[in-house]
Amino acid sequence: MMRNKFIVVEGIEGSGKTTAVMHIKNILMDFGIRNVISVREPGSTALAEEIRCLVKKKFNNDLITINTELLLMYAARTQLIESIVKPRLKKGDWVIGDRHYFSSYAYQGTFSKSIKKKISILQSMFFGSFKPNLTFFLNISPYTSMKRIKKRTSLDRIEMNNIDFFSKVRLEYLKLVNKHSNCIIIDAEKKKNEVHKEIKTKLYTWIKNYE
Ligand code: T5A
């Protein structure tokens, strides 16, 4: 039986990450893998959840700068990976993550090359060669994203960005997934049950090839 894998789900807002994480957890359980936990970024520790609230909040007359936003994401990430993810993987558990470092490249990195360079430095300084074993990218158009999130009663600071921003974020994601191995693109425009079927098929294939 395969041990301790770190699987991450990435995508723009409303792409279905949260539901996909729960789905992956159930698939693994059905496969006989019982020691599975799920986490989200930013968040999943008391401190990182506080940081999540801060990054989502709109401060009047005090615009959060992109460097600050990036550092807050990395503070939350470091806390989560060091205090939960790595210890659980060491125990042999599986961890399913709702977002990881691709989110920083896609959201903060889209602003400039120099931000991307800073991300690479932070990433190698704090995580070295530590990477997810598999990343699912849930691919949806920014139009679908907007349509899904508009159903919400209120939007957070990042969700208040316009469609251009989410188009750029999606393009950054596509560049990343095409550059890295162990990434699987899922057509998340489809109906939920079809998306979940595609994830299941691809996850089974990945597990079988790994064994
Ligand atoms: N961030 C995060 C950064 O900027 N940098 C970073 O480094 C990191 C880690 C985090 C925010 O922080 C930013 C990005 C984000 O702005 P979040 O809550 O993780 O916030 O991100 P969101 O994308 O906002 O999460 P959402 O809850 O919006 O989206 P999900 O989880 O992708 O989607 P989900 O599963 O909640 O579904 C959304 C809605 O769509 C429906 C669902 O039922 C739900 O109503 N839905 C579908 N409808 C039709 N067809 C389908 N196939 C559907 N799949 C889901």
Side-chain angles (χ1 to χ4, degrees):
M1 184 60 69
M2 277 168 84
R3 273 173 56 82
N4 64 343
K5 297 285 169 265
F6 181 30
I7 298 177
V8 166
V9 183
E10 293 272 9
I12 61 173
E13 342 292 285
S15 54
K17 295 177 305 300
T18 309
T19 40
V21 166
M22 295 320 294
H23 179 58
I24 292 170
K25 223 170 149 180
N26 292 335
I27 297 171
L28 293 174
M29 299 268 198
D30 289 347
F31 212 77
I33 300 165
R34 306 247 166 255
N35 45 342
V36 189
I37 62 154
S38 57
V39 293
R40 65 173 182 181
E41 285 193 33
S44 291
T45 77
L47 174 65
E49 286 293 330
E50 290 291 324
I51 296 174
R52 181 183 180 90
C53 292
L54 287 176
V55 293
K56 283 179 170 263
K57 194 171 160 184
K58 199 169 184 307
F59 294 93
N60 287 337
N61 305 321
D62 188 9
L63 273 185
I64 180 168
T65 74
I66 193 66
N67 284 330
T68 309
E69 188 173 280
L70 178 63
L71 289 169
L72 286 171
M73 295 299 177
Y74 266 87
R77 178 164 302 137
T78 308
Q79 185 67 17
L80 173 64
I81 300 295
E82 289 179 357
S83 66
I84 295 183
V85 178
K86 282 188 175 175
R88 294 300 290 256
L89 290 171
K90 204 168 167 195
K91 261 178 66 188
D93 294 348
W94 287 58
V95 181
I96 317 300
D98 188 334
R99 298 191 181 277
H100 189 45
Y101 78 107
F102 275 11
S103 289
S104 294
Y105 277 105
Y107 283 79
Q108 285 70 51
T110 194
F111 283 92
S112 69
K113 275 194 180 152
S114 86
I115 293 287
K116 283 200 185 92
K117 209 168 155 193
K118 287 174 191 168
I119 297 171
S120 301
I121 293 167
L122 289 168
Q123 190 60 31
S124 86
M125 194 161 61
F126 293 116
F127 302 109
S129 60
F130 178 81
K131 295 252 152 52
N133 298 98
L134 176 65
T135 300
F136 281 105
F137 172 58
L138 303 187
N139 192 18
I140 58 164
S141 73
Y143 300 98
T144 307
S145 163
M146 293 283 121
K147 228 166 61 192
R148 288 187 195 163
I149 68 173
K150 268 187 184 149
K151 287 186 188 151
R152 292 178 186 167
T153 42
S154 67
L155 297 181
D156 66 45
R157 185 183 59 83
I158 299 174
E159 288 169 345
M160 282 155 90
N161 277 293
N162 61 23
I163 205 150
D164 274 3
F165 174 76
F166 291 108
S167 302
K168 285 185 191 149
V169 172
R170 183 203 196 188
L171 284 180
E172 293 293 345
Y173 266 130
L174 286 169
K175 276 194 241 164
L176 285 162
V177 297
N178 288 319
K179 217 167 65 186
H180 291 80
S181 55
N182 287 337
C183 291
I184 295 176
I185 302 180
I186 301 289
D187 179 0
E189 291 278 339
K190 293 184 194 155
K191 285 188 187 140
K192 245 188 240 180
N193 62 337
E194 290 175 49
V195 171
H196 288 181
K197 217 168 121 189
E198 192 182 340
I199 291 176
K200 190 173 181 173
T201 311
K202 291 189 169 162
L203 184 57
Y204 270 13
T205 310
W206 182 79
I207 290 175
K208 290 217 172 91
N209 288 338
Y210 223 102
E211 280 174 333

